[in-house]
Amino acid sequence: MMEKIPTQTGTRDQLLSDLKTVIQDAEAWLRNGGHLTGDELKAAKAKFEQTLAGAKESLGEYQQTVVEKTKEAAKVTDEYVHENPWKSVGLGAAVGVVIGLLIARR
């Protein structure tokens, strides 16, 4: 039986937030980088590297979540096809006909 696969929007939202922060930090660094010297430059570089590392970590976590959910969806689909082969064949044929009609309209 097919079960609904839960999604984790928190991971996606965190990743998007981290990427926006990386972009904002990079833009600020490019704008003000010529004026920074010594300790200020080191601090700005450290902050940017920390933000970039956080974004990379979030991306890795999101990738892992997507892979797990994709494997779970493939397993559920495989089970459904094995339990309902004729429904699956009919559904595949119907989708093929619809796609064929859409392509023929062009």
Side-chain angles (χ1 to χ4, degrees):
M1 179 133 180
M2 289 181 40
E3 297 177 19
K4 187 172 182 177
I5 299 172
T7 57
Q8 293 180 344
T9 57
T11 305
R12 183 186 69 222
D13 293 341
Q14 181 64 39
L15 174 62
L16 291 175
S17 174
D18 287 347
L19 290 175
K20 286 178 184 177
T21 303
V22 167
I23 292 169
Q24 290 171 351
D25 285 353
E27 288 173 342
W29 197 24
L30 289 173
R31 273 194 310 271
N32 302 323
H35 306 313
L36 299 177
T37 57
D39 292 337
E40 293 174 334
L41 183 60
K42 287 180 184 178
K45 183 179 177 184
K47 180 182 177 194
F48 181 71
E49 288 174 346
Q50 181 182 7
T51 305
L52 187 59
K56 284 181 181 180
E57 183 180 331
S58 293
L59 182 61
E61 291 172 5
Y62 186 65
Q63 180 182 5
Q64 183 179 0
T65 301
V66 168
V67 168
E68 290 172 3
K69 297 302 175 188
T70 302
K71 286 180 181 180
E72 189 175 334
K75 181 181 175 185
V76 169
T77 302
D78 184 54
E79 290 173 1
Y80 179 79
V81 169
H82 279 83
E83 291 173 5
N84 304 294
W86 289 110
K87 285 183 184 179
S88 301
V89 169
L91 180 62
V95 169
V97 167
V98 170
I99 291 173
L101 290 173
L102 292 174
I103 290 173
R105 292 179 95 182
R106 289 187 175 188

